[in-house]
Amino acid sequence: RKEVEQDPGPFNVPEGATVAFNCTYSNSASQSFFWYRQDCRKEPKLLMSVYSSGNEDGRFTAQLNRASQYISLLIRDSKLSDSATYLCVVNMYTGRRALTFGSGTRLQVQP
Amino acid sequence: DAGVIQSPRHEVTEMGQEVTLRCKPISGHNSLFWYRQTMMRGLELLIYFNNNVPIDDSGMPEDRFSAKMPNASFSTLKIQPSEPRDSAVYFCASSQQGVNQPQHFGDGTRLSIL
């Protein structure tokens, strides 16, 4: 099982739609969680941290489910500019003691 | 504020040549990370430093790869000799206070080994 697993997609949605991605992680002791966004041929950029109680930033909502070991990202009212790859990032607290990136979920918002 | 600065942006060289990638982290960040990204393998952590000291280099592919951080504002990743399979985008990232903080990435170096 991969340490951090995401559905690669692509998710093709119309403008204005609501879309959600999940990401599962293998280490129950993981403490830190983030969502990053990566545009084609660009660097990953922090979208939002994920807090235990869930958190919202405008149209974006992130949630953590420790019991089932997954985090989620919900995007409401999708814009064309939301088209990108969304990377789930987890601090695995393994011997490597560093953040582990998922392989990403690709979102394509269509007009 | 200046972000993470990487150079060069693009590098094309022939196999067997030495390649040196450079990174200047965000001022005040004390953790620095080198990543490699390819379509096949995604984003892979190669090595990371905390307070200029290498903490984990288990991601470095082989002895041809080496990284240094002589001071808080500069790091290099060197490949010698380079091989075509080293072709990838290499990202440098930095963060505050260790691995629990979000990382900020540079624009990357797009490396092509012919």
Side-chain angles (χ1 to χ4, degrees):
Chain A
R1 181 184 176 188
K2 286 184 181 178
E3 292 178 319
V4 179
E5 201 147 6
Q6 295 183 252
D7 181 342
F11 284 58
N12 295 306
V13 302
E15 269 187 292
T18 296
V19 62
F21 313 132
N22 280 348
C23 165
T24 58
Y25 59 94
S26 61
N27 188 338
S28 59
S30 298
Q31 296 292 324
S32 306
F33 308 90
F34 307 93
W35 282 104
Y36 278 70
R37 170 197 169 126
Q38 187 172 24
D39 292 289
C40 188
R41 301 177 73 83
K42 296 285 191 179
E43 76 278 17
K45 291 184 178 176
L46 177 68
L47 180 66
M48 58 197 301
S49 302
V50 184
Y51 302 122
S52 297
S53 55
N55 47 298
E56 191 173 302
D57 183 1
R59 298 181 293 109
F60 299 84
T61 301
Q63 290 192 315
L64 167 64
N65 185 319
R66 286 194 184 274
S68 300
Q69 292 179 212
Y70 74 86
I71 64 172
S72 64
L73 178 68
L74 181 80
I75 306 175
R76 290 182 299 278
D77 188 22
S78 301
K79 312 289 185 192
L80 294 175
S81 57
D82 294 333
S83 298
T85 297
Y86 290 83
L87 302 169
C88 165
V89 184
V90 178
N91 183 330
M92 299 299 297
Y93 277 91
T94 65
R96 299 197 68 198
R97 297 186 297 152
L99 299 180
T100 300
F101 283 74
S103 54
T105 297
R106 189 163 150 243
L107 171 66
Q108 185 68 46
V109 181
Q110 295 164 336
Chain B
D1 287 342
V4 176
I5 300 172
Q6 290 186 246
S7 64
R9 291 292 302 276
H10 303 273
E11 174 94 12
V12 181
T13 192
E14 293 185 344
M15 65 178 293
Q17 297 298 307
E18 178 179 292
V19 173
T20 299
L21 310 182
R22 296 173 178 81
C23 175
K24 177 179 168 56
I26 293 172
S27 178
H29 283 190
N30 60 6
S31 295
L32 182 140
F33 307 80
W34 281 103
Y35 291 89
R36 176 173 68 176
Q37 187 172 39
T38 61
M39 288 291 292
M40 292 297 295
R41 301 173 67 93
L43 197 62
E44 301 174 279
L45 177 66
L46 300 177
I47 185 171
Y48 88 90
F49 296 84
N50 207 33
N51 294 319
N52 313 339
V53 175
I55 301 300
D56 185 346
D57 65 354
S58 57
M60 295 286 262
E62 48 200 271
D63 293 344
R64 298 184 297 106
F65 285 68
S66 62
K68 293 182 180 179
M69 191 164 185
N71 57 61
S73 59
F74 184 65
S75 177
T76 59
L77 177 68
K78 190 171 291 188
I79 309 172
Q80 168 63 23
S82 57
E83 296 182 4
R85 61 193 167 119
D86 301 330
S87 299
V89 181
Y90 289 80
F91 288 108
C92 176
S94 70
S95 72
Q96 293 178 327
Q97 299 176 6
V99 299
N100 284 332
Q101 298 299 315
Q103 297 172 18
H104 300 266
F105 284 73
D107 292 338
T109 294
R110 196 167 296 275
L111 177 64
S112 296
I113 308 297
L114 306 176

